[in-house]
Amino acid sequence: MPLNIVIGAQWGDEGKGRITDLLAAQADMVVRYSGGDNAGHTVTIGDEVFKLHLIPSGIIHDTANCLIGNGVVVNPKVMLHEMDALAKRGIDVSPACLKLSENAHLITPAHIALDKAREMQRGEGAIGTTLRGIGPAYTDKASRQGIRAGLMANPEELADAIHTHVATHNEVLTKIYGADALDTDAVAAEYAAYAQRLAPYLVDGSILLDEALRDGRSILAEGAQGTLLDIDHGTYPFVTSSSPTAGGALTGLGVGPKQVGQIIGVAKAFTTRVGSGPFPTELSGSIAARLRGTGENPWDEYGTTTGRPRRVGWLDLVILRHAQRINSLTDLALTKLDILSGIPELQVCVAYELDGRRLTHFPTDLNTLARCRPIYQTLPGWHEDIMPIRTFSGLPANAQNYVNFITDQLGIPASIISVGPAREQTISF
Ligand code: IMP
């Protein structure tokens, strides 16, 4: 069985945790390959809501082993906090079930302090990061001064590395940003304690996955963020610092392209975005409030990681075509179709208008994107409650028409449609 990849096809928050949870039932391993605890994956099982930031959603299944791959940046404090919270709910988080690649990089308090200081300095031009230290951790990785998780197996080297790391970043924090210096010894002591608990989880992730694939086991790669947050293919600079796209899955795990089977693009039936930057189909007013929800439910459009209200808009097929091309999507998983029930007319953006020209490709240059106006196709809505429906043919004709319109435009089939927040509120093909 190959490596199947779940990818966010929009700006993140598409419901990847939910789709991963469904597919994890048939997978032997569930792995994370990019990002860090900036992700927020919500999985609802019965009355229980699990919100995970770092540990793969597959951990909730006792059949799947989980790996945090080399492409991830790991805050060990968050990892341990999530492990403890899961253990309290009876979920096995022992090294038999959960593993951490020794080539993943650690996030430290210095990275978090730098993330905050840089965002403050950007002022009006702030990226709107999650302030989890993600960008500075990847910066250190790329400039070859990061701290790999593998050092946690070697307490002396780890202590030296943390001392140098904090002292170096204190210079920048105090002299460039006027921020407080961190206590080097305190951070070293804190990380020594994390290392003691996490060292047994360390593995060579690439070898582990290679052995699994040779044994015929199936691997599900759980994407974080989304295609438009990709550092190369997203809306730079309003992006994250890693590659959440299909290519990132391969480098973030150490697996070759021939191993890949399905590449499932997860898209909401409308569009959302957190943070700054242009958003051609953005809505305001009553429809926006309707799509966003009140914030009382865990599935309303408020950030799982930050609690910020998300920006909302109509579905944008220019974005989905971009995601399809960048990732070679084989399938579409469409989430939150139920949220559109009761809206009399639905708009779907099929192209952009730019200086009198029709654009069907997504421009990743921000100034160009900011000048694009959406060209909509209006589709009739449906008023029925679709949450109890479990078959495609059972959906109201206009809901079927909405889905068919999207898949026809993208040229890929829908393999999953979610019609409610719970695991079972799903139509599978
Ligand atoms: P960072 O990843 O914290 O550096 O944030 C960079 C940008 O990516 C900001 O606009 C964040 O709001 C956005 N972002 C990061 N992670 C997620 C996510 O899981 N969902 C949606 N947006 C995200």
Side-chain angles (χ1 to χ4, degrees), residues 302-358:
Y302 291 76
T304 315
T305 303
T306 59
R308 290 180 288 181
R310 294 181 188 139
R311 299 160 68 194
V312 295
W314 293 119
L315 186 73
D316 186 336
L317 289 176
V318 185
I319 291 177
L320 295 191
R321 269 185 228 119
H322 177 74
Q324 206 254 318
R325 173 167 46 83
I326 299 286
N327 298 298
S328 293
L329 299 179
T330 60
D331 298 71
L332 184 71
L334 194 67
T335 59
K336 289 198 146 185
L337 188 64
D338 53 298
I339 301 294
L340 299 183
S341 300
I343 301 177
E345 279 191 338
L346 303 167
Q347 310 282 354
V348 177
C349 171
V350 289
Y352 297 151
E353 194 265 338
L354 177 71
D355 302 333
R357 283 180 303 125
R358 186 183 169 98

Side-chain angles (χ1 to χ4, degrees), residues 11-13 38-40 115 127-132 134-135 225 229 238-241 274-276 308:
W11 270 293
D13 309 315
N38 49 349
D115 200 358
I127 292 168
T129 75
T130 56
L131 303 177
R132 302 293 174 112
I134 306 293
Q225 288 80 49
L229 292 173
F238 299 107
V239 292
T240 191
S241 303
V274 284
S276 318
R308 290 180 288 181

Side-chain angles (χ1 to χ4, degrees), residues 21 148 300 327 354:
D21 173 60
R148 280 179 157 182
D300 286 343
N327 298 298
L354 177 71

Side-chain angles (χ1 to χ4, degrees), residues 109-257:
H111 291 139
I112 295 169
L114 272 175
D115 200 358
K116 288 182 183 154
R118 284 183 187 150
E119 278 289 87
M120 289 255 291
Q121 201 196 41
R122 286 183 191 116
E124 295 256 299
I127 292 168
T129 75
T130 56
L131 303 177
R132 302 293 174 112
I134 306 293
Y138 279 116
T139 304
D140 275 355
K141 173 177 173 176
S143 59
R144 287 140 306 166
Q145 53 179 3
I147 302 177
R148 280 179 157 182
L151 272 195
M152 293 195 294
N154 186 332
E156 274 172 31
E157 270 190 47
L158 178 68
D160 284 350
I162 293 275
H163 273 101
T164 310
H165 165 85
V166 178
T168 309
H169 286 312
N170 272 346
E171 291 280 301
V172 179
L173 281 167
T174 55
K175 293 188 181 150
I176 307 234
Y177 296 107
D180 292 336
L182 297 163
D183 181 335
T184 313
D185 290 334
V187 178
E190 186 186 338
Y191 275 63
Y194 299 149
Q196 235 183 358
R197 285 192 62 195
L198 289 177
Y201 290 82
L202 295 169
V203 290
D204 181 319
S206 174
I207 292 179
L208 181 83
L209 295 177
D210 185 55
E211 283 168 0
L213 287 165
R214 282 173 198 276
D215 286 353
R217 279 179 274 153
S218 63
I219 299 169
L220 184 66
E222 174 177 8
Q225 288 80 49
T227 301
L228 290 189
L229 292 173
D230 185 277
I231 184 115
D232 290 294
H233 304 292
T235 43
Y236 191 89
F238 299 107
V239 292
T240 191
S241 303
S242 64
S243 303
T245 39
L250 303 181
T251 50
L253 294 170
V255 173

Side-chain angles (χ1 to χ4, degrees), residues 2 28 49 59 65 75-76 80 84 122 126 162 172 176 213 219 242 244 276 302 361 369-370 379 385 418 427:
D28 297 307
V49 178
I59 197 79
N65 281 335
N75 182 331
L80 286 165
D84 292 343
R122 286 183 191 116
I162 293 275
V172 179
I176 307 234
L213 287 165
I219 299 169
S242 64
S276 318
Y302 291 76
H361 291 308
L369 182 62
L379 297 177
D385 173 13
S418 79
I427 297 171

